[in-house]
Amino acid sequence: MSQVAPENLVFLDEMGVLLGLTRTHARSPQGTRVYDLKPFYRGAKVTVIGAISLDRVLAIMTLNDSMDGKAFEVFIRHCLVPQLWSGAGVVMDNLPAHQIASIKPLIESVGASTLNLSPYSPEFNPIELWWSQLKAFLRQFSPTTTKMVDTLIATALHLVNPEHLRNWFADCCYCTS
């Protein structure tokens, strides 16, 4: 990856969101307990697929249930490829859905290239840091429907700070100076 400048790197990944997700911790004045409602609702899973660059979120898509190769191809074709530029390096992990034959030609059709992370190395993917922040945001609202997850993610997109993106890249050893 050292051949690609940090401003040309695009990291993609997916995460799962369980509907009814709630906060895991709370605060109260010292010596007192926190009381709050915790819904017993354990809903379905929503999969979120996203891609970030050094200065913005390039693409995001949600789908009910788990992701497969066909869903990933839809994300690449309709969400990511229109946002790519010549010289971009799309970095993904080694998930089997990422390795289907049609993905690489789609990305290369706009002059971008594909790169794979080393196996079992999510610490080198800055989008993991955004997923952590996004899940914390979602937990505040405990969404119980897919529409609610979509609305909250749309709100979270407006709150993404480009400085955070640069810091996450630096934290994952992609120097940005």
Side-chain angles (χ1 to χ4, degrees):
M1 277 191 235
S2 60
Q3 301 91 338
V4 182
E7 55 272 2
N8 284 331
L9 288 173
V10 174
F11 288 88
L12 66 84
D13 199 21
E14 51 287 317
M15 75 165 179
V17 175
L18 290 175
L19 295 180
L21 193 67
T22 60
R23 290 182 181 181
T24 57
H25 295 80
R27 295 183 182 169
S28 70
Q30 188 171 357
T32 64
R33 272 186 181 255
V34 172
Y35 292 96
D36 196 9
L37 296 175
K38 183 174 181 181
F40 183 68
Y41 180 77
R42 188 71 165 189
K45 183 175 91 171
V46 175
T47 300
V48 182
I49 311 167
I52 63 169
S53 68
L54 185 60
D55 58 357
R56 64 190 169 107
V57 176
L58 294 174
I60 195 158
M61 181 177 95
T62 61
L63 47 116
N64 295 328
D65 208 18
S66 298
M67 185 193 69
D68 59 7
K70 289 183 182 189
F72 187 66
E73 184 178 347
V74 167
F75 169 74
I76 294 295
R77 182 182 305 275
H78 297 290
C79 300
L80 183 61
V81 167
Q83 302 299 319
L84 291 177
W85 58 93
S86 181
V90 179
V91 184
M92 55 188 120
D93 55 23
N94 296 295
L95 188 71
H98 296 175
Q99 307 305 321
I100 62 173
S102 60
I103 300 301
K104 192 172 182 176
L106 281 171
I107 292 171
E108 290 175 346
S109 70
V110 292
S113 60
T114 60
L115 302 161
N116 287 329
L117 282 173
S118 302
Y120 308 107
S121 56
E123 66 274 9
F124 294 122
N125 194 340
I127 199 169
E128 297 287 356
L129 299 167
W130 184 47
W131 289 152
S132 175
Q133 189 179 56
L134 184 58
K135 276 191 175 184
F137 179 75
L138 292 173
R139 277 190 185 99
Q140 292 178 7
F141 300 96
S142 189
T144 54
T145 65
T146 304
K147 183 174 173 42
M148 218 169 146
V149 171
D150 289 342
T151 302
L152 289 169
I153 288 174
T155 303
L157 285 173
H158 294 292
L159 301 174
V160 171
N161 184 340
E163 188 176 327
H164 289 162
L165 291 165
R166 286 189 296 279
N167 290 341
W168 295 332
F169 267 64
D171 190 55
C172 292
C173 301
Y174 305 105
C175 297
T176 59
S177 53

